[in-house]
Amino acid sequence: MTVLTIGPEESKEVLTRCLAMGADRALRIEAPETTDANLITKILHQAIKNEPFDLVLTGVQAEDDGWDR
């Protein structure tokens, strides 16, 4: 299982927790200063488009700003 987050340096804590819980790989993408749902979607697409996967799970709401995705 691979986990991925888009966020600042502080988001590494979440990835470390995921690895401790059994994830095989963890990736962090530095977020640009200004983001919106469309930009996040494009970043995620670029990050996983060449990865083999059976299932992609995403969050419902951003924890930091409460923005519904």
Side-chain angles (χ1 to χ4, degrees):
M1 171 182 18
T2 301
V3 294
L4 180 139
T5 190
I6 299 172
E9 186 76 21
E10 295 82 30
S11 61
K12 280 186 172 181
E13 180 184 332
V14 172
L15 296 176
T16 302
R17 194 173 332 133
C18 290
L19 289 168
M21 293 171 66
D24 300 312
R25 240 173 73 180
L27 305 170
R28 184 184 68 86
I29 299 172
E30 185 72 33
E33 287 285 321
T34 57
T35 59
D36 63 20
N38 290 328
L39 180 57
I40 296 296
T41 302
K42 290 176 184 179
I43 292 170
L44 287 173
H45 174 259
Q46 289 298 314
I48 69 170
K49 70 179 183 179
N50 295 320
E51 296 288 328
F53 55 85
D54 295 319
L55 177 66
V56 176
L57 301 173
T58 63
V60 174
Q61 188 174 30
E63 183 177 327
D64 55 351
D65 61 7
W67 209 81
D68 290 335
R69 304 274 186 229

